[in-house]
Amino acid sequence: MKKLEDLQAIISNAVDNLAFPDHPAELYEPINYILSLGGKRMRPALLLMACDLFGGDIDAALPPALAIEVFHNFTLMHDDIMDNAPLRRGQVTVHEKWNNNVGILSGDVMLVQGYKLMMQVEDHLLRPILDIFNTTAVGVCEGQQLDMDFEQRDNVGIDEYLEMIRLKTAVVLGGALKIGALIGGADVKDADLLSSFGEHLGIAFQLQDDILDVYGDPEKFGKQVGGDIISNKKTYLLIKALELAGNQHKTALDKWIALKQFDNAEKVAAVTAIYNSLNIRQYAEEAMQKHTDKAFEALDAINLPAAQKQYLHDFADGLLVREN
Amino acid sequence: MKKLEDLQAIISNAVDNLAFPDHPAELYEPINYILSLGGKRMRPALLLMACDLFGGDIDAALPPALAIEVFHNFTLMHDDIMDNAPLRRGQVTVHEKWNNNVGILSGDVMLVQGYKLMMQVEDHLLRPILDIFNTTAVGVCEGQQLDMDFEQRDNVGIDEYLEMIRLKTAVVLGGALKIGALIGGADVKDADLLSSFGEHLGIAFQLQDDILDVYGDPEKFGKQVGGDIISNKKTYLLIKALELAGNQHKTALDKWIALKQFDNAEKVAAVTAIYNSLNIRQYAEEAMQKHTDKAFEALDAINLPAAQKQYLHDFADGLLVREN
């Protein structure tokens, strides 16, 4: 198995060599710009890894891997407009550097470029792979819509939340792995299992993110601890706490959520204390473990020697113990 | 040959029966909304007409025809945001009825739905038809970008303008006809000829629109005469006039363009007088005739009996003499 770092390097090099037209400049420059901001290239690397897992030719999987990366960056370009985000990977976002219209139209043509890249597969794989790509793209749009809906609602349930993170972040991982598996020569059953591995891993990873926001080591986590609490973000933890809270805790949570002016550290400490007394961390870790288990079950069921799957196993393990 | 009205009715009925998911509502309701606003369904009807022309089964062409209509309405949804347009076909635009974010994301998923519909073709046509669809979609995005660029520029040339209207409006007509032709069983050569017919017809139609804005009969034209002049729209006429004007006319045109406050009728009369003295109408009509001729040349070259092509010939004739 090729190592993740090697695959990421292959992707980075291929992204640098993607050639879009020069003209009209305001349509294509933003594509080059957002792709140049870097990132871990995790999704396309997973696609190549899946192809490699089944003994396929990585070169044949490169255009679809680039398609996934271009598609992912299209969603970032439009999400940044919707979220009014000033920065992306520490650099100004496309709509800030140019304007909203440039961000909208450049993103549109990027989605089409994603399809063009995804079509660079053998004829017999064209329809099944585009079907997966369509399902992935629809899922990501639905997930983004649900995420925006949830910001306006105060009665979001745990199941809805899990479905939202599945759509918004996990289906792309599952889709990338499934496409890579098919190119690598996997049968549909194994490709579906690998897709399931990716989806459950993605959900577990997102739940870990929710947990680390509150309980992570700030030095290792690299983000402000309690950022989600400060911004009232509807994470697994907050939703579960609102579900389980008795009158007293509910009143306290509602107060902190409604408060416009507060001391950040004080709010984080108060809400964390409520989480602690409701055992929220344990619930979240159980949910995370459930999806981790399902991910590994799917991986184990793939019809390949265990040794061959060890690398993906280790990769998932590494992803899920970034900390604590 | 099936009549245009019959094909439009088939499309309208099929559009009404398009079933998108109910949930998330803010993602899918805007799609149903914009599609319900009507319109002439000209692009999908042309696709069916092309299929019919070559003796193909119209039912087989219906999903791709719907794909073209869904795609066209996706471009309208995003263009309306970019143009800050309050109304579309006399009804509030999607971004006004909901908000910009809804318009962006709903449009995104609409483009994906367009691909899903376009994929409902026989396997041997999947790649060639998606290649055409990709080229069409890229062209429309490039055309929209050029159109926005031109608003900011004061040195737009005639050739650039013709390329812009080709991309923004004509390639979809050509693409729709080419896809329909392939489904109908045409060979690539005839499909390309029909595509060329559609593109040149589209350019001629747009040039006629530019001419009618100034020289049309207001009762028949259905728009305010001189609307383009009032808004300084860079039409064929204005670009040609700026190109041909001597010092005196150039100064007068520049003055009217720069003027913030003016009497509409006075500006229209003054600019029209300049057009007249520069013979602009004649240049524009010659350009229009050139593309009309090229459209008919392409149609004539298609390897079918003339009688079979008469309906498309008459259709084009009808399109190009709406007036005067």
Side-chain angles (χ1 to χ4, degrees):
Chain A
M1 284 287 288
K2 293 219 168 34
K3 294 275 170 287
L4 178 65
E5 307 79 67
D6 298 336
L7 298 174
Q8 287 170 311
I10 290 171
I11 298 288
S12 285
N13 186 49
V15 166
D16 292 344
N17 286 309
L18 270 176
F20 297 104
D22 293 330
H23 185 74
E26 290 209 331
L27 190 63
Y28 292 111
E29 272 179 18
I31 302 181
N32 293 325
Y33 174 75
I34 197 168
L35 287 172
S36 76
L37 298 182
K40 295 189 292 293
R41 316 290 189 201
M42 197 61 87
R43 293 157 192 81
L46 281 172
L47 194 153
L48 296 187
M49 205 185 281
C51 174
D52 193 31
L53 178 69
F54 291 96
D57 173 12
I58 281 180
D59 287 342
L62 198 51
L66 290 170
I68 284 287
E69 185 67 9
V70 167
F71 169 79
H72 175 59
N73 279 275
F74 140 72
T75 66
L76 298 181
M77 202 188 276
H78 277 191
D79 283 4
D80 284 344
I81 301 172
M82 293 185 251
D83 299 341
N84 212 2
L87 296 175
R88 161 72 54 193
R89 306 191 207 284
Q91 306 283 322
V92 285
T93 44
V94 165
H95 64 101
E96 283 285 328
K97 190 174 164 78
W98 285 272
N99 56 56
N100 278 10
N101 286 359
V102 164
I104 293 171
L105 197 59
S106 227
D108 289 347
V109 86
M110 236 176 143
L111 177 52
V112 178
Q113 299 292 346
Y115 276 97
K116 286 177 75 169
L117 286 163
M118 195 57 90
M119 284 178 62
Q120 294 179 35
V121 292
E122 288 178 34
D123 281 350
H124 74 283
L125 290 174
L126 184 59
R127 189 183 293 280
I129 282 179
L130 287 180
D131 281 341
I132 300 165
F133 191 47
N134 286 336
T135 304
T136 300
V138 167
V140 171
C141 290
E142 290 185 350
Q144 168 71 3
Q145 183 63 52
L146 290 176
D147 198 17
M148 295 195 299
D149 288 350
F150 290 178
E151 283 176 27
Q152 312 299 323
R153 284 176 45 193
D154 53 10
N155 60 345
V156 178
I158 284 288
D159 287 347
E160 287 181 292
Y161 176 73
L162 290 172
E163 177 63 2
M164 184 278 282
I165 61 176
R166 186 185 76 83
L167 290 167
K168 186 167 176 176
T169 68
V171 294
V172 185
L173 302 181
L177 286 166
K178 190 170 176 181
I179 289 168
L182 290 179
I183 296 170
D187 61 23
V188 172
K189 184 163 169 284
D190 280 345
D192 279 333
L193 285 166
L194 194 61
S195 171
S196 177
F197 164 76
E199 271 197 26
H200 285 295
L201 190 66
I203 296 169
F205 186 76
Q206 184 59 51
L207 289 172
Q208 175 175 260
D209 217 53
D210 288 0
I211 297 167
L212 290 180
D213 178 76
V214 178
Y215 296 106
D217 177 338
E219 300 217 347
K220 292 193 199 159
F221 188 41
K223 282 194 207 174
Q224 177 184 31
V225 168
D228 292 345
I229 292 177
I230 292 164
S231 66
N232 294 332
K233 187 158 173 226
K234 291 192 187 74
T235 65
Y236 184 96
L237 283 68
L238 178 55
I239 295 166
K240 194 74 186 173
L242 287 167
E243 180 189 310
L244 295 178
N247 278 341
Q248 193 189 337
H249 286 321
K250 180 83 171 60
T251 309
L253 276 173
D254 286 345
K255 185 203 79 176
W256 280 111
I257 288 169
L259 222 56
K260 297 287 174 209
Q261 296 221 319
F262 51 81
D263 178 80
N264 283 353
E266 197 185 340
K267 179 173 177 180
V268 171
V271 173
T272 304
I274 296 172
Y275 287 173
N276 288 341
S277 67
L278 293 169
N279 275 324
I280 297 301
R281 180 179 186 169
Q282 196 185 326
Y283 286 104
E285 285 178 345
E286 279 167 12
M288 181 184 153
Q289 191 59 49
K290 191 180 116 186
H291 286 283
T292 308
D293 291 346
K294 285 191 179 180
F296 286 133
E297 268 169 45
L299 186 62
D300 290 345
I302 291 172
N303 187 24
L304 283 175
Q308 213 164 322
K309 296 182 281 190
Q310 192 58 43
Y311 186 77
L312 267 177
H313 210 290
D314 295 344
F315 165 74
D317 267 338
L319 212 59
L320 295 176
V321 287
R322 290 184 305 169
E323 219 278 339
N324 76 340
Chain B
M1 284 287 289
K2 293 224 171 25
K3 293 275 171 289
L4 178 64
E5 308 80 67
D6 298 336
L7 298 173
Q8 286 170 312
I10 290 171
I11 298 289
S12 284
N13 186 49
V15 166
D16 291 345
N17 287 308
L18 270 175
F20 298 105
D22 293 330
H23 185 74
E26 291 211 329
L27 191 61
Y28 292 111
E29 272 179 17
I31 302 181
N32 294 325
Y33 174 75
I34 196 168
L35 288 172
S36 77
L37 298 182
K40 294 189 292 294
R41 316 294 189 198
M42 198 60 87
R43 294 158 192 80
L46 281 172
L47 194 153
L48 296 187
M49 206 185 281
C51 174
D52 194 32
L53 177 70
F54 291 96
D57 174 12
I58 281 180
D59 287 342
L62 198 51
L66 290 170
I68 284 287
E69 186 65 9
V70 168
F71 169 78
H72 175 58
N73 279 273
F74 140 73
T75 65
L76 298 181
M77 202 186 278
H78 277 191
D79 283 3
D80 283 344
I81 302 172
M82 293 185 252
D83 298 342
N84 213 2
L87 296 176
R88 162 72 52 193
R89 306 191 207 284
Q91 305 283 322
V92 284
T93 44
V94 164
H95 64 100
E96 284 285 328
K97 190 174 164 77
W98 285 272
N99 56 56
N100 278 10
N101 286 358
V102 164
I104 293 172
L105 196 59
S106 226
D108 290 346
V109 86
M110 237 177 142
L111 176 52
V112 178
Q113 299 292 346
Y115 276 97
K116 286 176 74 170
L117 286 162
M118 195 56 91
M119 283 178 63
Q120 295 179 35
V121 293
E122 288 179 35
D123 280 351
H124 75 283
L125 290 175
L126 184 59
R127 189 183 293 279
I129 283 179
L130 286 180
D131 281 342
I132 300 166
F133 191 47
N134 286 335
T135 304
T136 301
V138 167
V140 171
C141 290
E142 290 185 350
Q144 169 70 4
Q145 183 63 51
L146 290 176
D147 198 16
M148 295 195 299
D149 289 350
F150 290 178
E151 283 176 28
Q152 311 300 325
R153 284 176 45 193
D154 52 10
N155 59 344
V156 178
I158 284 289
D159 286 346
E160 288 180 292
Y161 176 73
L162 290 172
E163 176 64 1
M164 184 278 280
I165 61 175
R166 186 185 77 82
L167 290 167
K168 187 168 175 175
T169 69
V171 293
V172 186
L173 303 180
L177 286 166
K178 188 169 178 181
I179 289 168
L182 291 179
I183 296 170
D187 61 23
V188 173
K189 184 162 169 283
D190 280 346
D192 279 334
L193 285 167
L194 195 60
S195 171
S196 177
F197 164 76
E199 271 197 24
H200 286 295
L201 189 65
I203 295 170
F205 187 76
Q206 185 59 51
L207 289 172
Q208 175 176 260
D209 217 53
D210 288 1
I211 296 166
L212 290 180
D213 179 76
V214 178
Y215 296 105
D217 176 338
E219 300 216 349
K220 292 192 201 162
F221 189 42
K223 282 193 207 173
Q224 177 185 30
V225 169
D228 291 345
I229 291 177
I230 292 164
S231 66
N232 295 330
K233 190 161 171 223
K234 292 193 186 73
T235 65
Y236 185 96
L237 283 68
L238 178 55
I239 294 167
K240 194 74 188 175
L242 287 167
E243 180 189 310
L244 295 179
N247 277 343
Q248 192 190 337
H249 285 321
K250 179 82 171 61
T251 307
L253 276 174
D254 287 344
K255 185 203 81 176
W256 280 110
I257 288 170
L259 221 56
K260 297 288 174 209
Q261 297 221 315
F262 51 82
D263 178 78
N264 283 352
E266 197 185 342
K267 178 172 176 180
V268 171
V271 173
T272 303
I274 296 172
Y275 288 173
N276 288 342
S277 68
L278 293 169
N279 276 325
I280 297 300
R281 181 178 185 170
Q282 196 185 326
Y283 285 104
E285 285 177 347
E286 279 168 11
M288 180 184 154
Q289 191 59 49
K290 189 180 120 188
H291 286 283
T292 308
D293 290 347
K294 284 192 178 178
F296 286 133
E297 268 170 42
L299 185 62
D300 290 347
I302 291 173
N303 187 25
L304 283 176
Q308 212 164 321
K309 295 181 281 188
Q310 192 58 42
Y311 185 77
L312 266 177
H313 209 290
D314 294 345
F315 164 75
D317 267 337
L319 211 60
L320 295 176
V321 287
R322 291 182 304 169
E323 219 280 338
N324 78 340

